[in-house]
Amino acid sequence: MKDMNFLKENNARHLWHPMAHPADCQANPPDIIVGGEGCRITDVDGHTTIDGVGGLWNVNLGYSCQPVKDAITEQLERLPYYSIFRGTTNDAAIELSWMLRQFFAEDGMGRAFYTSGGGDSVEIALRLARQYHKVRGEAGRVKYLSLKKGYHGTHTLGASVNGNANFRTQYEPLMPGCYHIPAPYTYRNPFNETDPEKLAQLCLAALEDEIKFQSADTIAAFIMEPVLGAGGVIPPHESFMPGVREICDRYGILLIADEVITGFGRTGDWSGSRHWGVKPDMMTTAKAITNGYFPFGAVMISDAVAEVFESDTSGRAAIGSGYTYSGHPVGAAAAIACLKETERLQVKDNAAARGAQIFAGLQALKEKYDLIGDVRGGHGMMSAMELVSDRATKAPIDKDTISRVQRTAYESGAMVRMSGNNLILSPPLILSEAETDTILSALDAGFAAVS
């Protein structure tokens, strides 16, 4: 590894960073993270902080999960790669598929289709939704519905169903046939409705209205995150996702649950769908499936959808999708070890407990600092604060101020994530009570610095 001076001199000079302006990265070089242990990360200057971001929502088991590291090492020694395209497979991919079926059985999932990550999983699920209807003889069902503020990756189909202009405007025109309905976002919504239950019903009515306007026989699927993540951690009322399920059933539309963030315990349940008592038709997974240690994902497919494909005799169900690294044996081995450790530790329970602690702490900070306009969370380890310059008008805070809050928090012991005028928390699910207190005190210091 090159020395500290080399790393700092070349930071952001030859590398474009995702979700950032290249010039801004050069003017404000990113922190160089060189180590991690437990829930803590260490930068190139030796400064150690608690990772309140969990890598990128994915390091659920922290940075010292030895069983996953050992599984990767052992698999690299035994079989570092082989394709699972038609005609060949590998033992790790087979074992993992059995484990995933067991893990998601309560969600009604019976099959897995492997991908390289979350964006790939979304792309595959959307493609399979169209194919499902074609196999059934309803080839006109090609459109997609999704939520504003929803995030589904940046592949072309994923960006087309994304509900945030930041991921769309500079890349338009995107895929035609994608339509968005208002999110159940109590702080900002076109209905000016602050009651979560009433807002859920208004959004469901908007969904049904859009279906009728487009004509149900043109719509393949509705895709949603059980709790909206990158859009600012927006948990819907408990009636919302069951309402979506009922409407989709009534109009013959597939429901795809984007569980890339919410899968594997983050909501305090093993899936976000289970958190709301819903069985989707497909689930997209990735991120925590390998604890972030290897790029890997899986689309989970319900038994009912699988039956349509597997009983086809026309040939239309032949799957024309896949990736070089689908079912990668090293990724599958990592996922097997990760899933075993996830269940052994029952991390969903700690996610619920520490998530409640974080949510209460953020609410207390809101009482203390006027620039916190809204606090969202209460469903596991997913929380956000929306910062405003004026609570009455809800005008978003300026970039310099939120950057100072984030920086001071980092220097005070906690990495938190900026997303627009939101500060987002998604720590590892093994976070301790004391480490949670450190995150909250670091945020307190951040807000105090600008108040």
Side-chain angles (χ1 to χ4, degrees):
M1 181 64 68
K2 296 290 187 179
D3 63 24
M4 180 193 304
N5 290 335
F6 174 90
L7 295 173
K8 290 185 174 182
E9 175 66 26
N10 289 280
N11 191 4
R13 298 298 169 190
H14 322 291
L15 166 66
W16 278 7
H17 288 263
M19 306 298 182
H21 194 298
D24 183 63
C25 285
Q26 292 189 7
N28 302 284
D31 293 305
I32 305 171
I33 307 303
V34 297
E37 183 175 357
C39 294
R40 298 174 184 270
I41 52 175
T42 301
D43 67 23
V44 71
D45 293 311
H47 177 63
T48 297
T49 66
I50 294 171
D51 183 12
V53 187
L56 197 61
W57 309 86
N58 58 341
V59 188
N60 284 10
L61 305 180
Y63 295 92
S64 306
C65 190
Q66 198 61 43
V68 180
K69 295 179 182 180
D70 289 344
I72 289 172
T73 301
E74 291 166 10
Q75 186 63 46
L76 280 170
E77 289 295 327
R78 188 166 62 83
L79 178 68
Y81 174 76
Y82 209 79
S83 162
I84 67 164
F85 274 38
R86 181 177 57 194
T88 58
T89 189
N90 64 72
D91 50 354
I94 296 169
E95 181 179 351
L96 177 61
S97 68
W98 181 87
M99 292 178 66
L100 288 171
R101 180 184 179 117
Q102 303 304 309
F103 188 82
F104 290 115
E106 192 174 324
D107 301 293
M109 301 294 111
R111 301 289 187 274
F113 186 99
Y114 295 131
T115 70
S116 304
D120 290 347
S121 291
V122 168
E123 202 82 357
I124 290 293
L126 292 170
R127 286 167 63 88
L128 289 177
R130 282 182 173 170
Q131 187 175 8
Y132 165 85
H133 292 294
K134 292 180 191 295
V135 172
R136 293 178 63 250
E138 294 190 73
R141 287 185 178 266
V142 297
K143 298 175 183 175
Y144 303 109
L145 301 177
S146 58
L147 292 173
K148 293 178 180 178
K149 304 297 290 183
Y151 180 78
H152 304 290
T154 56
H155 292 354
T156 299
L157 266 179
S160 300
V161 296
N162 264 352
N164 190 316
N166 291 343
F167 310 114
R168 299 172 56 88
T169 306
Q170 301 305 322
Y171 309 100
E172 291 174 333
L174 295 170
M175 183 69 65
C178 299
Y179 303 93
H180 300 77
I181 67 164
Y185 176 23
T186 52
Y187 194 61
R188 301 180 194 271
N189 63 77
F191 310 108
N192 198 30
E193 179 57 70
T194 58
D195 180 272
E197 187 171 10
K198 291 179 181 178
L199 179 58
Q201 294 307 308
L202 289 168
C203 293
L204 290 171
L207 169 59
E208 188 161 15
D209 180 70
E210 189 66 26
I211 291 170
K212 290 178 178 178
F213 177 75
Q214 297 294 335
S215 185
D217 61 5
T218 70
I219 301 169
F222 180 89
I223 184 170
M224 65 171 286
E225 300 165 275
V227 177
L228 280 72
V233 183
I234 301 170
H237 184 264
E238 62 185 12
S239 64
F240 182 71
M241 194 171 181
V244 170
R245 174 74 278 179
E246 189 278 325
I247 290 171
C248 286
D249 283 343
R250 187 148 32 97
Y251 291 100
I253 296 167
L254 294 181
L255 173 57
I256 301 170
D258 188 340
E259 299 266 9
V260 171
I261 285 173
T262 53
F264 304 104
R266 185 156 293 279
T267 64
D269 285 292
W270 287 135
S271 73
S273 300
R274 204 175 308 183
H275 187 69
W276 301 122
V278 171
K279 292 183 179 180
D281 296 297
M282 285 186 274
M283 298 167 63
T284 61
T285 72
K287 290 192 183 292
I289 197 170
T290 63
N291 201 44
Y293 292 4
F294 197 93
F296 200 85
V299 178
M300 299 306 300
I301 300 152
S302 71
D303 289 323
V305 171
E307 172 62 22
V308 169
F309 279 80
E310 293 173 7
S311 63
D312 170 67
T313 58
S314 70
R316 290 193 296 267
I319 297 171
S321 297
Y323 304 102
T324 298
Y325 300 112
S326 291
H328 195 296
V330 178
I336 290 168
C338 184
L339 196 52
K340 288 178 179 178
E341 194 70 358
T342 294
E343 292 186 295
R344 184 185 74 81
L345 295 173
Q346 289 290 298
V347 291
K348 65 180 178 61
D349 299 331
N350 192 59
R354 299 286 71 76
Q357 182 185 352
I358 291 171
F359 190 47
L362 298 185
Q363 290 173 313
L365 289 174
K366 182 185 175 185
E367 294 298 314
K368 189 174 180 179
Y369 298 106
D370 287 342
L371 76 163
I372 303 175
D374 193 32
V375 169
R376 297 184 289 275
H379 299 274
M381 298 274 247
M382 302 178 67
S383 303
M385 295 171 288
E386 185 163 346
L387 307 193
V388 294
S389 58
D390 186 305
R391 279 190 177 178
T393 65
K394 300 183 182 179
I397 200 75
D398 62 279
K399 183 179 178 181
D400 178 65
T401 301
I402 192 171
S403 296
R404 287 165 58 202
V405 174
Q406 190 268 348
R407 194 68 209 165
T408 303
Y410 179 76
E411 293 169 353
S412 301
M415 171 70 85
V416 297
R417 183 186 181 199
M418 289 189 301
S419 179
N421 64 314
N422 296 301
L423 287 177
I424 292 178
L425 290 172
S426 53
L429 305 191
I430 61 168
L431 193 74
S432 70
E433 185 175 352
E435 288 170 330
T436 304
D437 285 336
T438 299
I439 292 175
L440 293 169
S441 65
L443 283 167
D444 194 356
F447 288 116
V450 298
S451 298

